[in-house]
Amino acid sequence: MELLIAILVLALLFDYINGFHDAANSIATIVSTKVLSPLQAVVWAACFNFVAFFIAKYLIGDFGIANTVSKTVYEPYITLPVILAGVIAAVIWNLWTWWKGIPSSSSHTLIGGFAGAAITAHGFEAIHSAVILKIVLFIFLAPLIGMVVAFLFTLLVLNLCRKAHPHTAEKWFKKLQLLSSALFSIGHGLNDSQKVMGIIAAALIAAHSQGISMGVHSVADLPDWVAFSCFTAISLGTMSGGWKIVRTMGSRITKVTPLEGVIAETSGAFTLYLTEYLKIPVSTTHTISGAIIGVGATKRLSAVRWGITRELMTAWVLTIPVSGLLAAIVYWLLEGIQAG
């Protein structure tokens, strides 16, 4: 029972950290364009992170991404020590990248930690390779989709607004950025809260072998308090901000105007809604980064700071394997403590 409680507490802690780590995804452009102050922006984003709970429960009617995450590891190999090691590794990587101001993927560190601990405990046959491959593929596809959609959307909007007075257009796009930021924040809540739900579902299923039966055999059986707690934790985390990453996302990739902010956030939201429909967990960080790059590239390729972009991509590629390695070390330590 103690292991299960530890996992639940750490999973919700990770969700909270996920919120302030990824707050930049929703608010970076709206802060850099001075549409809202940093404090106003995080409150705005947090509210719509929580609105996502009602959309998932009452409009969509299921938690498909949570189900995908829970199946990263085959059920016979899911044990409480494996899940605990994975969550601890994810917390460590998220805190370190937040401290360094690196906008890495909270989603991929959680999945990498879960898979890495399972491989350490049971070998590669423990992981669902088709699920992992799909997730890895979208490390590259999510930012690419966001970039292409943003690039085309920018060209379309510029063409439609070419006769508008610049001052009037900027005033309207500042107002529209409130809407686009809300749309992206809903996508962030839908996407990222469900990953922790998937981990909690896996833990409650694994608890059956310990004689702890809570009637959970799949994500569909999760009690309402699980989803409510996950969406609340990420919303509170978002309200805490993540200012180092806000600076990276808001100005270091490329300078963003209100018009470009609207397009980047709308394109990112479109990508997140698409992957929600496909039930594929993706990184909101990767998605908005790709959209910002797409917006910058319409001005000229040199408007994008490609050196910063390469650094981000390096972190993206390393997140799953590094998290897996960290989880392996944590699992060995936990096994050593139990043996002692």
Side-chain angles (χ1 to χ4, degrees):
M1 189 66 178
E2 291 82 4
L3 271 183
L4 179 60
I5 293 172
I7 289 168
L8 294 177
V9 171
L10 281 172
L12 291 175
L13 174 63
F14 173 84
D15 208 16
Y16 173 81
I17 294 168
N18 187 165
F20 73 70
H21 187 283
D22 289 2
N25 300 340
S26 302
I27 70 170
T29 60
I30 206 168
V31 170
S32 66
T33 56
K34 297 181 172 58
V35 172
L36 292 177
S37 70
L39 179 59
Q40 290 171 329
V42 292
V43 172
W44 182 259
C47 288
F48 286 99
N49 278 173
F50 191 70
V51 165
F53 165 73
F54 299 98
I55 292 173
K57 182 166 179 61
Y58 298 109
L59 290 182
I60 298 174
D62 68 11
F63 297 99
I65 289 176
N67 190 48
T68 300
V69 172
S70 70
K71 293 178 178 176
T72 302
V73 176
Y74 286 112
E75 189 173 324
Y77 301 105
I78 299 175
T79 64
L80 294 179
V82 162
I83 299 170
L84 181 61
V87 174
I88 291 172
V91 168
I92 292 169
W93 179 251
N94 245 19
L95 285 174
W96 186 81
T97 51
W98 165 76
W99 181 255
K100 292 295 183 179
I102 302 169
S104 65
S105 169
S106 299
S107 310
H108 292 143
T109 190
L110 189 62
I111 291 162
F114 188 23
I119 291 168
T120 305
H122 306 291
F124 282 93
E125 68 271 16
I127 61 171
H128 199 305
S129 56
V131 172
I132 298 287
L133 183 60
K134 194 183 334 183
I135 292 168
V136 169
L137 185 61
F138 270 79
I139 291 177
F140 306 99
L141 284 181
L144 182 61
I145 293 169
M147 183 172 66
V148 171
V149 171
F151 184 86
L152 296 175
F153 192 23
T154 304
L155 295 179
L156 175 64
V157 171
L158 288 175
N159 187 56
L160 291 174
C161 299
R162 65 184 183 278
K163 294 182 180 178
H165 189 279
H167 179 71
T168 304
E170 181 170 358
K171 187 166 67 175
W172 274 104
F173 278 110
K174 280 190 173 184
K175 292 178 180 177
L176 284 172
Q177 211 176 344
L178 292 172
L179 175 61
S180 62
S181 177
L183 289 172
F184 190 85
S185 296
I186 289 170
H188 178 216
L190 283 173
N191 200 277
D192 282 32
S193 296
Q194 290 194 51
K195 287 136 190 179
V196 176
M197 287 177 61
I199 291 296
I200 290 176
L204 293 175
I205 292 168
H208 293 174
S209 64
Q210 307 293 314
I212 306 168
S213 178
M214 299 185 70
V216 176
H217 300 280
S218 70
V219 168
D221 299 325
L222 283 175
D224 287 345
W225 67 262
V226 174
F228 187 84
S229 299
C230 289
F231 280 86
T232 300
I234 201 168
S235 301
L236 292 173
T238 298
M239 287 185 68
S240 303
W243 309 118
K244 292 183 180 182
I245 298 175
V246 168
R247 285 193 289 273
T248 299
M249 300 291 287
S251 60
R252 291 184 68 200
I253 295 176
T254 188
K255 295 291 184 183
V256 177
T257 66
L259 179 151
E260 293 160 350
V262 168
I263 292 170
E265 289 161 347
T266 304
S267 302
F270 171 83
T271 307
L272 290 178
Y273 297 155
L274 174 64
T275 54
E276 165 70 23
Y277 173 76
L278 296 173
K279 299 179 172 50
I280 300 170
V282 298
S283 168
T284 53
T285 306
H286 297 185
T287 302
I288 194 64
S289 298
I292 293 172
I293 291 167
V295 165
T298 59
K299 292 180 280 190
R300 60 187 186 281
L301 289 177
S302 60
V304 178
R305 296 187 177 98
W306 295 104
I308 298 296
T309 304
R310 281 194 297 272
E311 290 176 17
L312 298 182
M313 291 183 71
T314 300
W316 298 349
V317 171
L318 288 177
T319 293
I320 287 181
V322 170
S323 300
L325 181 59
L326 278 173
I329 294 169
V330 172
Y331 182 80
W332 285 326
L333 289 174
L334 291 174
E335 287 290 285
I337 291 170
Q338 282 188 325

Coordinates of all heavy atoms in Angstrom, one line a residue, residues 70-109:
S70 N -0.9 4.1 -20.6 CA -1.0 3.0 -19.7 C -0.6 1.7 -20.4 O -0.2 0.7 -19.7 CB -2.4 2.8 -19.2 OG -3.3 2.4 -20.2
K71 N -0.6 1.7 -21.7 CA -0.2 0.5 -22.5 C 1.2 0.5 -23.0 O 1.6 -0.3 -23.9 CB -1.2 0.2 -23.6 CG -2.6 -0.1 -23.1 CD -3.6 -0.3 -24.2 CE -5.0 -0.7 -23.7 NZ -6.0 -0.8 -24.8
T72 N 2.0 1.5 -22.5 CA 3.4 1.5 -23.0 C 4.1 0.3 -22.6 O 5.0 -0.2 -23.3 CB 4.1 2.7 -22.3 OG1 3.4 3.9 -22.6 CG2 5.5 2.9 -22.7
V73 N 3.8 -0.3 -21.4 CA 4.3 -1.6 -21.0 C 3.2 -2.6 -20.9 O 2.1 -2.3 -20.5 CB 5.0 -1.4 -19.6 CG1 5.5 -2.7 -19.0 CG2 6.1 -0.3 -19.6
Y74 N 3.5 -3.8 -21.3 CA 2.5 -4.9 -21.3 C 2.1 -5.2 -19.8 O 2.9 -5.2 -18.9 CB 3.1 -6.2 -21.9 CG 3.1 -6.1 -23.4 CD1 4.4 -6.1 -24.1 CD2 2.0 -6.1 -24.2 CE1 4.5 -6.1 -25.5 CE2 2.0 -6.1 -25.6 CZ 3.3 -6.1 -26.2 OH 3.3 -6.0 -27.6
E75 N 0.8 -5.4 -19.7 CA 0.2 -5.5 -18.3 C 0.9 -6.5 -17.4 O 1.2 -6.2 -16.2 CB -1.3 -5.8 -18.4 CG -2.0 -5.7 -17.1 CD -3.5 -5.9 -17.2 OE1 -4.0 -5.4 -18.2 OE2 -4.1 -6.5 -16.3
P76 N 1.3 -7.7 -17.9 CA 2.0 -8.7 -17.0 C 3.3 -8.2 -16.4 O 3.8 -8.7 -15.4 CB 2.2 -9.9 -17.9 CG 1.2 -9.8 -19.0 CD 1.1 -8.3 -19.2
Y77 N 3.9 -7.2 -17.0 CA 5.2 -6.7 -16.6 C 5.1 -5.4 -15.8 O 6.1 -4.8 -15.4 CB 6.1 -6.4 -17.8 CG 6.4 -7.7 -18.6 CD1 5.8 -7.9 -19.9 CD2 7.2 -8.7 -18.2 CE1 6.0 -9.0 -20.6 CE2 7.5 -9.8 -18.9 CZ 6.9 -10.0 -20.1 OH 7.1 -11.1 -20.9
I78 N 3.9 -4.9 -15.6 CA 3.7 -3.6 -14.9 C 3.7 -4.0 -13.4 O 2.8 -4.7 -12.9 CB 2.4 -2.9 -15.3 CG1 2.4 -2.6 -16.8 CG2 2.2 -1.7 -14.4 CD1 1.1 -2.0 -17.3
T79 N 4.7 -3.4 -12.7 CA 4.7 -3.6 -11.2 C 4.9 -2.3 -10.6 O 5.3 -1.3 -11.2 CB 5.9 -4.5 -10.8 OG1 7.1 -3.9 -11.2 CG2 5.8 -5.9 -11.5
L80 N 4.6 -2.2 -9.3 CA 4.7 -0.9 -8.6 C 6.1 -0.4 -8.5 O 6.3 0.8 -8.7 CB 4.1 -1.0 -7.2 CG 2.5 -1.3 -7.1 CD1 2.1 -1.4 -5.7 CD2 1.8 -0.2 -7.8
P81 N 7.1 -1.2 -8.3 CA 8.5 -0.7 -8.3 C 8.9 -0.1 -9.7 O 9.6 0.9 -9.8 CB 9.4 -1.9 -7.9 CG 8.4 -2.8 -7.2 CD 7.1 -2.6 -7.8
V82 N 8.4 -0.8 -10.8 CA 8.7 -0.3 -12.1 C 8.1 1.1 -12.3 O 8.8 2.1 -12.8 CB 8.2 -1.2 -13.2 CG1 8.1 -0.6 -14.5 CG2 9.1 -2.5 -13.3
I83 N 6.9 1.3 -11.9 CA 6.2 2.6 -12.1 C 6.8 3.6 -11.2 O 7.1 4.8 -11.6 CB 4.7 2.5 -11.7 CG1 4.0 1.5 -12.7 CG2 4.0 3.8 -11.8 CD1 2.6 1.1 -12.3
L84 N 7.2 3.3 -9.9 CA 7.8 4.2 -9.0 C 9.1 4.7 -9.6 O 9.4 5.9 -9.6 CB 8.0 3.6 -7.7 CG 8.6 4.5 -6.6 CD1 7.7 5.7 -6.3 CD2 8.8 3.7 -5.3
A85 N 9.9 3.8 -10.1 CA 11.2 4.2 -10.6 C 11.1 5.1 -11.8 O 11.8 6.1 -12.0 CB 12.0 2.9 -11.1
G86 N 10.1 4.8 -12.7 CA 9.8 5.6 -13.9 C 9.4 7.1 -13.5 O 9.9 8.0 -14.1
V87 N 8.5 7.2 -12.5 CA 8.0 8.5 -12.1 C 9.1 9.3 -11.4 O 9.3 10.5 -11.7 CB 6.8 8.4 -11.1 CG1 6.4 9.7 -10.6 CG2 5.6 7.7 -11.9
I88 N 9.9 8.7 -10.6 CA 11.1 9.4 -9.9 C 12.0 9.9 -11.0 O 12.5 11.1 -10.9 CB 11.8 8.4 -9.0 CG1 10.9 8.1 -7.7 CG2 13.1 9.1 -8.5 CD1 11.5 7.1 -6.8
A89 N 12.4 9.1 -12.0 CA 13.3 9.5 -13.1 C 12.7 10.7 -13.8 O 13.4 11.7 -14.2 CB 13.5 8.3 -14.0
A90 N 11.4 10.6 -14.1 CA 10.7 11.7 -14.8 C 10.7 13.0 -14.0 O 11.0 14.1 -14.6 CB 9.3 11.3 -15.1
V91 N 10.5 12.9 -12.7 CA 10.6 14.1 -11.9 C 12.0 14.7 -11.9 O 12.2 16.0 -12.0 CB 10.2 13.8 -10.4 CG1 10.5 14.9 -9.5 CG2 8.7 13.5 -10.3
I92 N 13.0 13.9 -11.8 CA 14.4 14.4 -11.8 C 14.7 15.1 -13.1 O 15.3 16.2 -13.1 CB 15.4 13.2 -11.6 CG1 15.3 12.6 -10.2 CG2 16.8 13.6 -11.9 CD1 16.0 11.3 -10.0
W93 N 14.4 14.5 -14.3 CA 14.7 15.1 -15.6 C 13.9 16.4 -15.8 O 14.5 17.4 -16.3 CB 14.4 14.1 -16.7 CG 14.6 14.6 -18.1 CD1 13.7 15.0 -19.0 CD2 15.9 14.9 -18.7 NE1 14.3 15.4 -20.2 CE2 15.7 15.4 -20.0 CE3 17.2 14.7 -18.3 CZ2 16.7 15.7 -20.9 CZ3 18.2 15.1 -19.1 CH2 18.0 15.5 -20.4
N94 N 12.7 16.4 -15.4 CA 11.9 17.6 -15.5 C 12.4 18.8 -14.7 O 12.5 19.9 -15.2 CB 10.4 17.3 -15.1 CG 9.5 17.5 -16.3 OD1 9.9 17.4 -17.5 ND2 8.2 17.6 -16.1
L95 N 12.8 18.5 -13.5 CA 13.3 19.5 -12.6 C 14.7 20.0 -13.1 O 14.9 21.3 -13.1 CB 13.5 19.0 -11.2 CG 12.2 18.9 -10.4 CD1 12.5 18.2 -9.0 CD2 11.5 20.2 -10.2
W96 N 15.5 19.1 -13.6 CA 16.8 19.5 -14.2 C 16.6 20.4 -15.4 O 17.3 21.4 -15.5 CB 17.7 18.3 -14.5 CG 19.1 18.7 -14.9 CD1 20.1 19.0 -14.0 CD2 19.6 18.8 -16.2 NE1 21.2 19.3 -14.8 CE2 20.9 19.2 -16.1 CE3 19.0 18.6 -17.5 CZ2 21.8 19.4 -17.2 CZ3 19.8 18.8 -18.6 CH2 21.2 19.2 -18.4
T97 N 15.8 20.0 -16.3 CA 15.6 20.8 -17.6 C 14.9 22.1 -17.3 O 15.2 23.1 -17.9 CB 14.8 20.0 -18.6 OG1 13.6 19.5 -18.0 CG2 15.6 18.8 -19.2
W98 N 14.0 22.1 -16.3 CA 13.4 23.4 -15.9 C 14.5 24.4 -15.3 O 14.5 25.5 -15.6 CB 12.3 23.2 -14.8 CG 11.9 24.4 -14.1 CD1 11.1 25.4 -14.6 CD2 12.3 24.8 -12.8 NE1 11.0 26.4 -13.6 CE2 11.7 26.0 -12.5 CE3 13.1 24.2 -11.8 CZ2 11.9 26.7 -11.3 CZ3 13.2 24.8 -10.6 CH2 12.6 26.0 -10.3
W99 N 15.4 23.8 -14.5 CA 16.4 24.6 -13.8 C 17.3 25.2 -14.9 O 17.8 26.3 -14.8 CB 17.2 23.7 -12.9 CG 18.3 24.5 -12.2 CD1 19.7 24.4 -12.4 CD2 18.2 25.4 -11.1 NE1 20.4 25.2 -11.6 CE2 19.5 25.9 -10.7 CE3 17.1 25.9 -10.4 CZ2 19.7 26.8 -9.7 CZ3 17.3 26.8 -9.4 CH2 18.6 27.3 -9.1
K100 N 17.6 24.4 -15.9 CA 18.5 24.9 -17.0 C 17.8 25.7 -18.1 O 18.4 26.2 -19.0 CB 19.2 23.7 -17.7 CG 20.2 22.9 -16.8 CD 21.3 23.8 -16.5 CE 22.4 23.1 -15.7 NZ 23.6 23.9 -15.3
G101 N 16.4 25.8 -18.0 CA 15.7 26.6 -18.9 C 15.5 25.9 -20.3 O 15.4 26.5 -21.3
I102 N 15.6 24.5 -20.3 CA 15.5 23.8 -21.5 C 14.1 23.3 -21.7 O 13.5 22.5 -20.9 CB 16.4 22.5 -21.5 CG1 17.9 23.0 -21.3 CG2 16.3 21.7 -22.8 CD1 18.8 21.8 -21.0
P103 N 13.4 23.7 -22.8 CA 12.0 23.3 -23.0 C 11.9 21.9 -23.5 O 11.6 21.6 -24.7 CB 11.4 24.3 -23.9 CG 12.6 24.8 -24.7 CD 13.8 24.7 -23.8
S104 N 12.2 20.9 -22.6 CA 12.1 19.5 -23.1 C 10.7 19.0 -22.9 O 9.8 19.7 -22.4 CB 13.1 18.6 -22.2 OG 12.6 18.6 -20.9
S105 N 10.4 17.8 -23.3 CA 9.1 17.2 -23.2 C 8.8 16.5 -21.9 O 9.4 15.5 -21.6 CB 8.9 16.2 -24.4 OG 7.7 15.5 -24.2
S106 N 7.8 17.0 -21.1 CA 7.4 16.3 -19.9 C 6.8 15.0 -20.3 O 6.9 14.0 -19.5 CB 6.4 17.2 -19.1 OG 7.0 18.4 -18.8
S107 N 6.1 14.9 -21.4 CA 5.4 13.7 -21.8 C 6.4 12.6 -22.1 O 6.2 11.5 -21.6 CB 4.6 14.0 -23.1 OG 3.8 15.1 -23.0
H108 N 7.4 12.9 -22.8 CA 8.4 11.9 -23.2 C 9.3 11.4 -22.1 O 9.7 10.3 -22.0 CB 9.2 12.4 -24.4 CG 8.4 12.6 -25.6 ND1 8.7 13.6 -26.5 CD2 7.4 11.8 -26.1 CE1 7.8 13.5 -27.5 NE2 7.0 12.4 -27.3
T109 N 9.5 12.3 -21.1 CA 10.3 11.9 -19.9 C 9.5 10.9 -19.1 O 10.1 9.9 -18.6 CB 10.8 13.1 -19.1 OG1 11.7 12.6 -18.1 CG2 9.7 13.7 -18.4

